[in-house]
Amino acid sequence: MIDFVAARRMMVDGQVRTSDVTDLRLIAAMLEVARERFLPEAKASLAYLDIDLPAMEGAAGAPVRRLVKPMVLAKLIQAAEIGAADHVLDVGCGTGYSSAVLARLAGSVVALEEEPLLARQAAENLRAIGVANVTVVTGPLTEGWKPGAPYDAILLNGATEIEPTALYRQLKDGGRLVGVKGRAPAGKAMLYRAFGQDVSGRPIFDAAAPLLPGFAEPPAFVF
């Protein structure tokens, strides 16, 4: 039988701390949240590997939804500088793992998922571990969640090939958005900040993450 507590500590010590993640609140959150709880039972033994893990098989022709690997998730969350009173939007929450980590850092979290089955699983998982400051909502990921806006921070829980302009508009003045820009393996983790009506972004580290639904660049028209 796998010792998940020991595996979780090895993940944090070997993947997260060694990647310049120094936020002690974030490290504590990742030590507390049981990642295996958010995976299909058949995949639980893989929970602490340094890979993006399938959260749900996609329908025919649809991409498989995955949990972003721990190192990339941790570095993105650290870059967002989430405070204890912050209101956060988790775009593409999947089965709820990222939201459970964010819940330990922020005052409130809106967990947005467009796949109803994943949204139900996220709500069940979060309820099962006693998380009370996360609201799971269902809707198109590219549109964000206007009823909960504005947000101090937005986590794009995966990759995008397009500018997430609708999400920019849901940031507070001074708010931060983090995510991965570009399709694997050539992506860049990005940090965007809102300054009034303007948003400025910069790359913060090389990264690859699963492309989120709706965030693919439209195919170019060829004559």
Side-chain angles (χ1 to χ4, degrees):
M1 177 178 266
I2 296 174
D3 184 342
F4 284 116
V5 173
R8 196 175 311 132
R9 180 164 290 282
M10 288 178 64
M11 175 198 76
V12 171
D13 290 343
Q15 299 173 39
V16 176
R17 290 181 187 270
T18 56
S19 299
D20 298 321
V21 176
T22 56
D23 184 328
L24 296 180
R25 295 170 60 238
L26 174 56
I27 289 170
M30 296 192 79
L31 285 171
E32 291 168 4
V33 179
R35 196 166 187 249
E36 70 275 10
R37 179 71 179 76
F38 296 85
L39 289 168
E41 188 174 351
K43 304 290 185 183
S45 62
L46 308 177
Y48 298 104
L49 297 182
D50 185 24
I51 57 175
D52 304 310
L53 287 171
M56 186 187 76
E57 297 297 327
V64 175
R65 294 295 302 279
R66 298 179 183 274
L67 270 65
V68 175
K69 66 181 181 179
M71 180 273 286
V72 172
L73 179 66
K75 288 175 72 72
L76 287 173
I77 292 175
Q78 177 169 266
E81 300 178 339
I82 294 168
D86 281 358
H87 181 48
V88 179
L89 176 63
D90 184 7
V91 178
C93 71
T95 55
Y97 173 73
S98 54
S99 299
V101 173
L102 290 168
R104 285 161 168 76
L105 306 175
S108 58
V109 178
V110 175
L112 174 63
E113 181 50 59
E114 70 177 35
E115 169 53 54
L117 176 58
L118 284 175
R120 287 196 298 272
Q121 290 178 350
E124 291 169 3
N125 289 335
L126 293 165
R127 186 166 52 249
I129 63 172
V131 174
N133 61 336
V134 176
T135 302
V136 179
V137 297
T138 307
L141 303 185
T142 54
E143 295 181 14
W145 189 252
K146 291 181 182 178
Y151 301 97
D152 296 287
I154 297 176
L155 170 66
L156 187 60
N157 204 352
T160 179
E161 294 181 320
I162 61 175
E163 291 296 323
T165 52
L167 302 182
Y168 296 159
R169 293 193 291 269
Q170 295 177 28
L171 287 169
K172 289 182 181 178
D173 186 16
R176 293 83 59 203
L177 183 150
V178 291
V180 175
K181 185 78 179 290
R183 189 181 292 265
K188 293 280 187 182
M190 300 291 296
L191 170 63
Y192 300 88
R193 287 185 184 273
F195 301 96
Q197 299 300 310
D198 299 320
V199 174
S200 175
R202 64 180 177 88
I204 48 177
F205 61 93
D206 293 335
L211 194 64
L212 284 170
F215 287 92
E217 189 172 18
F221 183 77
V222 179
F223 289 96

